[in-house]
Each structure stands twice: as C-alpha cells, then as structure tokens.
Amino acid sequence: MEYRAGPHARGDLASTRRDAAAFLDNLTVQNSRGAKGRQNWIAIWTKAGDSHCLLADLKIENGMFGEATEAWLCALTAFEVARRLVDESDAQSGDVLAKVEAGVQRFVSALQQKMERVEIACCDQTGFLAHYLPADRPDSFCPAVICISDEEETGAMLLGRLLPVVIGRGMSVLVVSREDLSNHSRSQSESLSNCLDFLSTQPDVDAARIGVYGDGLSAALATDFAASDRRVAAAVCDGGLWKWTRTVAFLEWMTRAPDAVDQDVVSTRRSQLVRRIRCPVLVVAGRGIVSVSHAIQLQADCMAARIDLELVMPRVSRAPEEEVENFVTSDDCVFGWLDQKLARNSTSQPSTSDQQI
C-alpha cells in the first residue's frame, strides 16, 4: 500500500508538525518513484506553505492575530520541509529559500510579541547583527538561548525553522549567523560572550538561565563557548568531538599508524574539553560533525567521570544520494531538553541511556 503522509489543510500548528514529522519519517517510501516523485512532494509542501500564508493574511484582515500567527508558523514548517527536499543545485532551491526568509519577515508584522534585529556590541568598537525574540511572558524572568546557525545557513533560515518550536515556550531566543561570527575580528567565543552580555541586560531574561545551541557544524563553536564562559547554563554542542577527532587524525598522520594513540589516552583526550564545561551538555549525534560511534564513546567516558552529558540520535530517512533528518522531532527534543535544564531550580538528573528522536 502506498504511504500518503503529507500536509493537510487543518490549519493548526500541532497537526502541521505531526504531518511533517510523519512525512520525513517515511521519506524513503515517498521517494520510491525517483526524482519525479520528489519534485511532486516539493510542490505539495510549497503549495501548503503558500496556502497557510494566504490564510494568515486573511486572519490579519479580520483582526485575528493569534490565528494569523499560528498560520505563519504552519507556513514556515511547510517551507522547511520543502527546503529539505530541494537539491542545492536545483533551480527551485533559491525560490524555497526566498519563501522561508520572506515568511519570517511577513511573520514579524503578524507577531504580537516584539521581534528585533539587534546589534551586538563588542569591546573593539565593532559589532554584528542578530535576531532577538523576547519571551512571551514579559512579567517574569525567563530563560534564554543563543542559537548559532550552521555555516551553510543564514540566521534568518535558522530562525524560520525554530520559530514554530520556540513560540509559546516562555523563552527568549537570540539567533546568530555563523558567517557573522566568522567574519568578526575578535574570537568567536568572545563574540558569543558579548551575546550573553546582551541577553543578561534584557529586563525579561534571567541571567542565570542562559543556554547555547550550536546547529550542525556550529556545535563545535558552542562547545568552545560553554568551556570558556562559565555563565552558560546549558549547552547543545559537540562535546569537544570535533577537536578530538582532528587531534587523533593528526597523530595518526604523523606516525603513519592507524592506532597511534593508546586507548586510555584516547578516553582522556575525548572528554578533555567537555570536562571544562560546568553546565549540562546535550550532544546530537549523527548531525554535522558528530559521528554516532564517537558520541557513544564520549557519553560512556562522561558517565564514568560523572559529567552531565546526554546523547540523542535524530531520526533520518534515506533519499536519493543523501539522508534527510527529521528536523521536527529533533528540534522538539532539543528545546524540550533546554526547557528542562533551564527551568528555575531544576533538579533533573542526566539520562543514562541513548535516545532516538
């Protein structure tokens, strides 16, 4: 029987995200008809996003701003699914990206909360721009998260993906572009500390509950930042695996031996950087630079050393020549973990087993 998971015109965010998650979980089945079938699904999800945009405009005209906001979030979710399906060399790629970024801009006008493009000031008289979304509970101190985009994404693209996840959580979010950090004259960790300085001065932010989330390759930046700035209260990062992998590869290259490093030394080196992090850590294995096998070994090392490190493995489906991550379940898991770790007076204990999300 042919699987038919896809977008439905129910209009509520929960249903749209369930449809998206079910579709991505069954992507191998969806693509069984090859490139033509994939193009059809790109068109279906793009059309669904366009329909939600039209619905949002209608709700705004009728003064129904809450329902308009939900329709925009549905549109952003649908466009993100389409973006995951489009090959970078495909002519449609630019069109879908434009829809995501335009969706974010149009969403701002419908948003009852205040979302700003803010400048992060630095000590050397320079600065860079970031997207700032204050928490939707202005009457109390709320946690905040600094989100760093992958090197192949703009800050607006990451914001478009995360808005449906963070709205309603009572959490402030500062989205920073990896490219902006890389182009800045000072160190990236120092620039991220400036981001934390900015959040600490916001009247709705609890300065003791600020976390960091590095998406994709930026997971390594989040590790360095959490290790260098002890104000970070929770970190979604690579746990130092990128630096460890490079070190081992360099030693093996220098010695021309595949097993040049003693296993006890390997264990110590593997957890060396994460030992400097004084906050809870979540490593998303299989995403970007973090291999599953190395992440499992790191978790075992951290458990032995009583380091609060948890590991999750996202669900992926195989499409022609690539794997596509179920971003819906992954993002829900990541921000659910951040909710837990940044909760006021949190007494939660680290997990002792791997999770698949």
Side-chain angles (χ1 to χ4, degrees):
M1 179 181 294
E2 184 181 0
Y3 185 79
R4 293 186 178 277
H8 296 84
R10 288 190 286 267
D12 64 289
L13 183 59
S15 295
T16 299
R17 291 184 69 78
R18 278 197 302 269
D19 290 343
F23 173 80
L24 292 168
D25 276 344
N26 291 273
L27 192 58
T28 302
V29 178
Q30 311 291 0
N31 284 282
S32 61
R33 293 186 177 180
K36 183 176 180 180
R38 186 167 176 141
Q39 291 297 319
N40 288 339
W41 281 112
I42 292 170
I44 288 171
W45 281 99
T46 301
K47 183 177 179 180
D50 290 337
S51 297
H52 286 301
C53 288
L54 291 173
L55 178 61
D57 288 337
L58 179 61
K59 297 296 183 181
I60 290 174
E61 289 178 5
N62 292 327
M64 305 167 71
F65 297 105
E67 293 183 19
T69 295
E70 187 161 24
W72 280 120
L73 296 177
C74 290
L76 289 171
T77 299
F79 289 144
E80 181 65 23
V81 175
R83 188 173 78 85
R84 299 282 168 138
L85 299 176
V86 177
D87 188 271
E88 290 183 3
S89 60
D90 194 313
Q92 295 182 85
S93 177
D95 294 338
V96 175
L97 291 179
K99 286 180 180 292
V100 172
E101 295 190 351
V104 171
Q105 293 300 319
R106 294 174 69 186
F107 173 72
V108 172
S109 65
L111 192 64
Q112 296 181 55
Q113 300 160 273
K114 184 180 180 182
M115 186 161 66
E116 305 174 74
R117 190 86 161 118
V118 298
E119 182 172 4
I120 305 300
C122 298
C123 298
D124 61 356
Q125 307 284 319
T126 65
F128 55 93
L129 295 176
H131 297 275
Y132 178 52
L133 176 68
D136 51 1
R137 298 172 191 169
D139 56 335
S140 61
F141 287 119
C142 295
V145 179
I146 301 167
C147 302
I148 316 165
S149 73
D150 196 356
E151 66 177 6
E152 297 180 353
E153 293 185 330
T154 64
M157 288 163 59
L158 178 60
L159 179 64
R161 193 185 94 210
L162 295 184
L163 276 172
V165 188
V166 300
I167 294 295
R169 284 187 182 271
M171 175 185 291
S172 295
V173 174
L174 184 72
V175 178
V176 183
S177 166
R178 168 70 178 265
E179 183 179 5
D180 289 340
L181 290 176
S182 300
N183 291 338
H184 199 255
S185 59
R186 303 183 70 85
S187 75
Q188 292 167 327
S189 290
E190 203 168 343
S191 296
L192 289 169
S193 288
N194 293 135
C195 292
L196 198 150
D197 291 339
F198 167 82
L199 288 172
S200 298
T201 63
Q202 301 309 303
D204 62 324
V205 171
D206 184 344
R209 295 190 290 151
I210 299 176
V212 62
Y213 165 42
D215 190 40
L217 295 175
S218 294
L221 295 186
T223 299
D224 289 339
F225 173 47
S228 65
D229 195 324
R230 295 198 173 186
R231 295 176 296 171
V232 177
V236 182
C237 60
D238 80 329
L241 284 174
W242 176 233
K243 286 192 172 181
W244 169 78
T245 301
R246 286 193 302 173
T247 299
V248 172
F250 175 74
L251 291 173
E252 291 178 348
W253 177 78
M254 288 290 292
T255 60
R256 307 296 182 186
D259 299 312
V261 186
D262 180 85
Q263 286 305 305
D264 290 337
V265 176
V266 166
S267 178
T268 301
R269 287 256 185 174
R270 189 163 44 220
S271 57
Q272 190 174 40
L273 184 54
V274 77
R275 288 171 188 270
R276 293 167 47 199
I277 301 176
R278 300 302 181 187
C279 66
V281 170
L282 178 69
V283 173
V284 183
R287 174 191 284 184
I289 54 181
V290 182
S291 74
V292 173
S293 60
H294 289 166
I296 291 174
Q297 292 166 350
L298 175 65
Q299 186 190 39
D301 296 337
C302 290
M303 286 178 62
R306 298 184 179 276
I307 297 172
D308 187 355
L309 182 144
E310 297 180 49
L311 171 66
V312 294
M313 291 174 284
R315 299 201 297 260
V316 296
S317 296
R318 181 161 294 281
E321 301 181 357
E322 65 175 330
E323 290 183 338
V324 178
E325 178 187 338
N326 190 327
F327 71 90
V328 178
T329 55
S330 294
D331 291 343
D332 285 345
C333 179
V334 165
F335 279 87
W337 182 87
L338 286 166
D339 270 342
Q340 180 188 35
K341 295 301 180 181
L342 297 177
R344 186 177 283 111
N345 300 322
S346 174
T347 57
S348 59
Q349 297 297 316
S351 171
T352 58
S353 61
D354 306 333
Q355 303 178 56
Q356 185 177 43
I357 53 180

